[in-house]
Amino acid sequence: MGYLPIFIELEGKPCLVVGGGVVAARKAQRLLQSKAEVTVVAPVLCVELETHRVERAVRHLAREILPQDLLGCCLVVAASDDAEVNRRVARLAQERGILVNVVDAPQLCTFIMPSIVDRDPVQIAVGTGGASPVLARLLRARLETLIPSSYGRLASLMRAFRERVKARFPNTRDRRRFWEAMLSGPVAELLFSGRENMALSYLEQALDGSADVPDAVGEVYLVGAGPGDADLLTFRALRLMQQADVVLYDRLVAPEIVALARRDAERIYVGKQRDRHSLPQAEINQALVNLAREGKRVLRLKGGDPFIFGRGGEEIETLSQEGIPFQIVPGVTAASGCACYAGIPLTHRDFAHSCVFVAGHLKDGALDLNWSALVQPKQTIVVYMGLHGLDLLSRGLIDNGLSPAMPAALVERGTTLRQRVICTSLEGLAKKIAECEVQPPVLVIIGEVVKLREKLAWFESTQQSGLLEEPLFRSSLEGGTPG
Ligand code: SAH
């Protein structure tokens, strides 16, 4: 079978759907989205179609199909659950030269409905020639993740400027170069990150400017890479990783995640270890500024979320002072990643009504914490960077009234295939660290909720299952200080 993918204009055109069930409803919905005039022929309607009928979105003929129903129809969909009815509809339509789609019977179809990625007015249609609708849906899902939801707004913006750009650049080649510069430069990115007014004024300036085609300006993306499992990246993080020219990453970012950056992107390691900064923070801040000034799209990849113990604020402050455009993408922070993968809800109606995140690293050998705020009833305490001060931390909490028997968990390399969860009590924490030779990065969760792990644990690391003998990435995850 040969197919020609085309887009048909259906606004106001009569279309027929035969069948009153959920499949018919889905097809009718698609037709309604293209503003067709839909008639449904079926003795009974499902709830969704009935709603459409009541709202007068569709016309309903409450009976079996008759040949005259097809009169003047632009296209027909046979979606009844009776194969014989569907075959009859297909024959009637074909005899009259009307396009027909029969659900689950590609051999009877004269057109097939593709899977759609809808970014109105942009539409991406995926078809497999009827071979596998499931495959088409999977492909569609992939495209959904790659194409920002605001693509439609981008297309609308381009449409609004089309005539002006045409007048400004009468030559097709210049026009194409202009649009390419706009779309691969900041306009698209400004729009995708919700800064529509800035995108507009950038376009205006570029059009009014005397330069033929404006130079692309650099930008910095401060992106949270999540706690380790690459699947926990956001769509936006992945998209920016695939378009950045240079990537600055640190110790907490797993190699599999760095590997997802554009193949030819320059990769710069700026990682730190506890007490041994390989690149001082000020130098990282400056490097971001310099690279962006060179016109590059710079991706600053941080473990977890950039604004939770991530010094994201400091890096952005420098960029803002220097007038470099930037955007910030949140990531799954270690607390929520580790808690979920360990089966420990951070809040719970019976056990925890609040949750505090605290940095447990030592300053001059001491912990500077607001103990009374930490020791509160029904509160979960999550300690980041606590490995080296854990003895002091548990003593401080106990001295301030927290029960020594309070359940506590150590989550080592959380969310990765080498995750290890060790449950103990508040007073037992420091001993366990030595006993089990716990390695960073480690997150500590203290509170009644830890008990729930007994029932809720679900993620089995390969270490526990014995599937993996060799460490996946030995040194890369050994973070200690904020990255
Ligand atoms: N911005 C990061 C935190 C950086 S501070 C975030 O939002 O997650 C570094 C600390 O985070 C580590 O010392 C450790 O306590 C914690 N951490 C980060 N990733 C972790 C992981 N995969 N498992 C356990 N703890 C982790």
Side-chain angles (χ1 to χ4, degrees), residues 227-228 252 303-306 308-310 332-334 338 383-386 411-416 441-443 479-483:
L252 272 177
D305 182 279
I308 295 179
F309 305 127
V332 173
T333 190
C338 295
V383 189
Y384 285 72
M385 301 172 281
V411 187
E412 181 190 67
R413 302 171 190 238
T415 80
T416 71
V442 169
L443 193 86
T481 54

Side-chain angles (χ1 to χ4, degrees), residues 5 23 27 32 40 51 118 163 175 187 313 320 362 369:
V23 182
K27 301 279 182 180
L32 287 173
V40 181
T51 313
D118 188 4
E163 290 309 315
R175 206 151 62 226
V187 168
S320 153
L362 300 168
L369 295 172

Side-chain angles (χ1 to χ4, degrees), residues 303-341:
D305 182 279
F307 274 10
I308 295 179
F309 305 127
R311 298 198 182 175
E314 294 171 40
E315 294 179 11
I316 286 308
E317 225 176 284
T318 318
L319 294 171
S320 153
Q321 278 161 11
E322 303 279 335
I324 306 283
F326 59 85
Q327 60 169 296
I328 309 166
V329 182
V332 173
T333 190
S336 70
C338 295
C340 286
Y341 278 55

Side-chain angles (χ1 to χ4, degrees), residues 220-425:
V220 175
Y221 316 132
L222 179 65
V223 174
D229 183 350
D231 273 10
L232 295 178
L233 281 173
T234 59
F235 292 160
R236 185 172 289 180
L238 189 61
R239 184 167 53 74
L240 294 176
M241 286 171 80
Q242 287 173 356
Q243 73 181 41
D245 303 306
V246 45
V247 180
L248 285 82
Y249 65 100
D250 47 53
R251 199 156 262 276
L252 272 177
V253 182
E256 303 92 292
I257 293 180
V258 180
L260 293 173
R262 215 178 71 203
R263 215 174 288 254
D264 58 336
E266 186 186 347
R267 290 162 167 77
I268 305 176
Y269 176 68
V270 293
K272 301 169 211 153
Q273 277 172 302
R274 214 169 62 86
D275 305 329
R276 190 154 59 82
H277 289 203
S278 57
L279 207 61
Q281 188 65 49
E283 274 181 40
I284 298 180
N285 302 354
Q286 197 51 50
L288 293 176
V289 170
N290 295 347
L291 288 163
R293 286 249 162 83
E294 289 169 24
K296 292 190 171 135
R297 289 167 296 186
V298 186
L299 183 93
R300 173 67 173 109
L301 207 52
K302 317 264 306 179
D305 182 279
F307 274 10
I308 295 179
F309 305 127
R311 298 198 182 175
E314 294 171 40
E315 294 179 11
I316 286 308
E317 225 176 284
T318 318
L319 294 171
S320 153
Q321 278 161 11
E322 303 279 335
I324 306 283
F326 59 85
Q327 60 169 296
I328 309 166
V329 182
V332 173
T333 190
S336 70
C338 295
C340 286
Y341 278 55
I344 302 173
L346 293 177
T347 65
H348 187 281
R349 277 201 296 174
D350 298 329
F351 306 114
H353 296 172
S354 61
C355 171
V356 279
F357 295 176
V358 53
H361 62 281
L362 300 168
K363 245 192 218 145
D364 305 323
L367 278 174
D368 180 20
L369 295 172
N370 181 350
W371 297 105
S372 59
L374 295 183
V375 182
Q376 292 292 328
K378 294 200 176 179
Q379 175 162 274
T380 307
I381 306 169
V382 180
V383 189
Y384 285 72
M385 301 172 281
L387 195 53
H388 297 270
L390 209 52
D391 197 18
L392 275 183
L393 184 100
S394 39
R395 266 191 281 144
L397 291 172
I398 293 169
D399 289 349
N400 283 273
L402 206 60
S403 162
M406 181 61 81
L410 293 156
V411 187
E412 181 190 67
R413 302 171 190 238
T415 80
T416 71
L417 292 180
R418 302 199 61 80
Q419 168 174 298
R420 188 157 64 133
V421 184
I422 300 159
C423 289
T424 174
S425 62

Side-chain angles (χ1 to χ4, degrees), residues 456-475:
L456 304 182
W458 61 276
F459 177 73
E460 190 191 9
S461 65
T462 38
Q463 185 167 266
Q464 278 161 351
S465 66
L467 274 176
L468 202 77
E469 294 305 320
E470 274 302 296
L472 264 189
F473 32 89
R474 210 183 307 258
S475 59

